[in-house]
């Protein structure tokens, strides 16, 4: 492709006149806006060790009472975007949130979609749209756009979870806002019970569930059991992966980001092909090494989190030769598919 004219090639008086009229010439920036063959990505492959996050999060628990934080979170910021942008990738936000025993993070609802992946501790709960969802290690709990949610903690030890939101995208589109509310009344009915078995779903004689998001909590015990039986059932299949879906529609659980759990068999090395969306990894059980196609390597111990830019293949290797490893994944696939830009490059 031919080199195009530069800004410096234009006379200063002409440039000044353009600026005064809020006008900008396209050609000096065209190659940066549309790079040939592959997009420019600010997202850098980055890993965050839980061992490093945890003491800083516990210190936040001492320094800042929940009333002064509303949500006590340390954001996992990708340095490629600049830490002040508080984003992991173009569309994904990641944060580690701490709730201490007896604390309450008040009810609110907002336009960004969120999920939480529970990292440690027992006894906390999130009430979403009137459904009280207990939090245990590895559980995935949805707080989709517009639904009321609040967190409480009746246990005795700190509880920590990973928040994944599409906040960067929603903020970019100038649609990000919150509404505060009162403590929710807990209603009967739990999606994790109603939809506990794949292949059979509640079918009311009259109408449907009537909820856009019928399942809000995906217990780790069930997701793990699904992976283990999938691995046993399909020894021929290399990748042992499940997707968290809406059990009424079969579509991704939320609209913008996709959520998955992956099991690495003992000693397994698995290559994930290069695809357009950025990918987040969080180790639920065991450990793995992560090697990107461009040669960046990270070791992920249990509870560590990493982010890899789009258009980048990744090779995962289970750190153990005798035990499976389990990872939670988040990506931007639903968004890319809706935009029509989703690609797999092998
Ligand atoms: C939020 O509402 C929560 O409800 C966590 O726990 C993290 C980050 C940005 C904006 C809203 C929560 C958030 C958030």
């Amino acid at each position: 492709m031919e080199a195009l004219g530069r800004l410096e090639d234009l006379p200063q008086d002409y440039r000044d006149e353009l600026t005064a009229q809020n006008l900008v010439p396209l050609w000096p920036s065209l190659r940066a806006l549309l790079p040939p063959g592959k997009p420019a990505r600010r997202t850098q492959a980055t890993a965050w060790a839980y061992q490093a996050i945890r003491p800083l999060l516990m210190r936040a628990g001492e320094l800042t009472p929940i009333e002064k934080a509303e949500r006590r979170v340390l954001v996992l910021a990708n340095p490629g975007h600049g830490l002040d942008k508080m984003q992991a990738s173009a569309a994904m936000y990641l944060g580690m949130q701490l709730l201490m025993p007896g604390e309450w993070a008040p009810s609110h609802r907002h336009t960004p979609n969120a999920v939480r992946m529970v990292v440690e501790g027992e006894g906390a709960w999130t009430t979403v749209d009137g459904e009280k969802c207990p939090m245990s290690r590895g559980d995935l709990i949805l707080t989709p756009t517009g639904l009321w949610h609040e967190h409480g903690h009746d246990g005795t030890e700190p509880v920590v979870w990973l928040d994944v939101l599409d906040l960067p995208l929603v903020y970019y589109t100038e649609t990000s806002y919150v509404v505060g509310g009162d403590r929710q009344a807990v209603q009967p009915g739990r999606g994790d019970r109603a939809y506990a078995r794949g292949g059979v779903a509640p079918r009311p004689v009259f109408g449907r569930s009537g909820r856009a998001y019928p399942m809000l909590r995906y217990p780790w015990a069930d997701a793990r059991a699904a992976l283990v039986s999938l691995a046993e059932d399909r020894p021929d299949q290399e990748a042992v992966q499940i997707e968290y879906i809406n059990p009424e529609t079969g579509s991704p659980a939320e609209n913008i980001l996709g959520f998955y759990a992956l099991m690495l068999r003992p000693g397994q090395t698995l290559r994930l092909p290069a695809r357009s969306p950025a990918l987040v990894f969080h180790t639920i059980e065991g450990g793995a090494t992560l090697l990107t196609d461009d040669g960046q390597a990270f070791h992920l111990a249990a509870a560590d989190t990493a982010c890899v830019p789009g258009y980048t293949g990744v090779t995962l290797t289970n750190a153990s030769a005798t035990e499976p490893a389990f990872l939670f994944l988040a990506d931007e696939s639903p968004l890319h598919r809706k935009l029509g830009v989703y690609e797999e490059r092998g």
Side-chain angles (χ1 to χ4, degrees):
M1 280 184 152
E2 234 165 281
L4 301 175
R6 299 168 307 167
L7 200 57
E8 308 83 80
D9 300 336
L10 299 169
Q12 191 61 51
D13 68 309
Y14 178 70
R15 290 162 62 181
D16 292 345
E17 188 64 22
L18 289 175
T19 304
Q21 301 299 328
N22 294 326
L23 294 169
V24 180
L26 173 61
W27 58 95
S29 306
L30 188 60
R31 295 281 184 260
L33 291 170
L34 289 175
K38 201 192 263 192
R41 284 138 301 148
R42 287 191 199 284
T43 304
Q44 290 173 6
T46 309
W48 296 266
Y50 189 57
Q51 205 191 317
I53 297 171
R54 193 181 189 282
L56 296 168
L57 196 52
M58 294 304 148
R59 208 161 156 220
E62 291 159 18
L63 294 170
T64 307
I66 192 70
E67 296 74 22
K68 289 285 171 203
E70 207 164 291
R71 299 296 191 264
R72 191 191 288 111
V73 176
L74 293 179
V75 178
L76 281 54
N78 193 305
H81 289 269
L83 298 186
D84 57 315
K85 291 286 193 300
M86 295 199 287
Q87 60 193 95
S89 72
M92 291 190 283
Y93 156 105
L94 300 173
M96 281 283 179
Q97 183 162 170
L98 170 68
L99 200 64
M100 297 301 284
E103 288 184 338
W104 182 60
S107 191
H108 69 190
R109 59 193 190 118
H110 43 66
T111 45
N113 295 275
V115 299
R116 17 226 55 120
M117 163 53 50
V118 182
V119 176
E120 72 163 277
E122 293 290 332
W125 44 267
T126 294
T127 300
V128 189
D129 196 23
E131 180 175 329
K132 188 169 177 177
C133 301
M135 298 176 113
S136 277
R137 172 66 182 141
D139 291 352
L140 185 75
I141 295 170
L142 310 186
T143 56
T145 180
L147 298 195
W148 292 107
H149 56 281
E150 64 195 88
H151 316 297
H153 189 352
D154 305 323
T156 55
E157 300 297 325
V159 166
V160 177
W161 62 81
L162 175 69
D163 290 310
V164 186
L165 283 82
D166 53 18
L167 181 63
L169 176 79
V170 177
Y171 186 77
Y172 173 75
T173 54
E174 299 186 348
T175 53
S176 180
Y177 73 96
V178 69
V179 178
D182 298 328
R183 195 180 277 264
Q184 298 169 72
V186 176
Q187 310 289 341
R190 280 188 39 182
D192 60 341
R193 292 181 181 147
Y195 298 93
R197 306 206 172 263
V200 287
R203 181 63 69 236
V205 175
F206 292 108
R208 316 252 319 190
S209 80
R211 307 180 91 175
Y213 300 95
M215 190 160 173
L216 296 168
R217 172 175 187 250
Y218 298 74
W220 174 236
D222 293 341
R224 190 186 193 284
L227 286 165
V228 170
S229 64
L230 183 59
E232 281 169 10
D233 182 55
R234 295 298 302 271
D236 56 308
Q237 211 167 60
E238 205 195 351
V240 184
Q241 185 176 232
I242 55 160
E243 178 168 10
Y244 294 91
I245 57 164
N246 178 325
E248 290 280 343
T249 63
S251 300
E254 289 188 342
N255 287 332
I256 310 287
L257 303 181
F259 307 101
Y260 319 83
L262 180 73
M263 175 179 140
L264 295 172
R265 301 171 196 272
Q268 183 180 8
T269 291
L270 176 70
R271 193 184 124 81
L272 305 178
R275 304 177 321 140
S276 53
L279 249 177
V280 162
F281 300 85
H282 174 80
T283 326
I284 299 178
E285 267 184 58
T289 56
L290 186 163
L291 177 67
T292 67
D293 281 357
D294 33 24
Q296 287 165 288
F298 303 94
H299 178 71
L300 303 179
D304 290 356
T305 306
C307 180
V308 172
Y311 301 86
T312 308
V314 171
T315 302
L316 296 169
T317 301
N318 187 345
S320 169
T322 55
E323 300 296 326
F326 295 91
L327 289 93
F328 169 66
L329 275 62
D331 77 3
E332 301 157 329
S333 296
L335 172 67
H336 282 207
R337 289 200 161 93
K338 285 177 175 119
L339 294 176
V341 300
Y342 179 84
E343 272 186 64
E344 295 177 355
R345 295 201 170 178

